[in-house]
Amino acid sequence: MPFLLEIRVRPNTSRNKVGGSVGEPPRLVVAVQAPAVDGKANQAVIKELANAFNLRARDFTIVFGELGRDKRLLVEGDKKTLQAKLEELMGEPTLL
């Protein structure tokens, strides 16, 4: 069953990182070095999420916010495992 993941993307950062949360409701922060041009940031985001969740890139599908910083993705995998990993990654809230 697909899992809905809400994220906030930070393009053009000094390093790639998945972790922390921002906003209300809380969204996972994904920082990528790639610029937000020609879908490069989206590709980098999916790659970083796949590494963070131990899944394949094809298990992630952007369903909302392809052109914005706030995105919703459908993730294929075990819902309980994904939820536990998400809580671990979100940790303490961070400011942008």
Side-chain angles (χ1 to χ4, degrees), residues 42-62 73-76:
N42 286 344
Q43 292 171 353
V45 163
I46 289 175
K47 181 179 174 186
E48 289 304 311
L49 286 171
N51 288 336
F53 281 90
N54 254 353
L55 296 171
R56 301 168 299 199
R58 67 179 178 208
D59 291 331
F60 294 84
T61 306
I62 298 173
L73 295 94
L74 280 181
V75 185
E76 293 294 331

Side-chain angles (χ1 to χ4, degrees), residues 33-90:
Q33 293 175 318
V37 178
D38 297 330
K40 291 179 183 176
N42 286 344
Q43 292 171 353
V45 163
I46 289 175
K47 181 179 174 186
E48 289 304 311
L49 286 171
N51 288 336
F53 281 90
N54 254 353
L55 296 171
R56 301 168 299 199
R58 67 179 178 208
D59 291 331
F60 294 84
T61 306
I62 298 173
V63 294
F64 176 81
E66 196 163 321
L67 300 177
R69 290 179 189 254
D70 292 328
K71 301 182 186 304
R72 286 190 196 119
L73 295 94
L74 280 181
V75 185
E76 293 294 331
D78 178 58
K79 189 172 183 172
K80 287 183 182 181
T81 305
L82 293 172
Q83 184 67 40
K85 185 64 176 176
L86 176 61
E87 288 173 10
E88 176 189 324
L89 289 170
M90 288 180 78

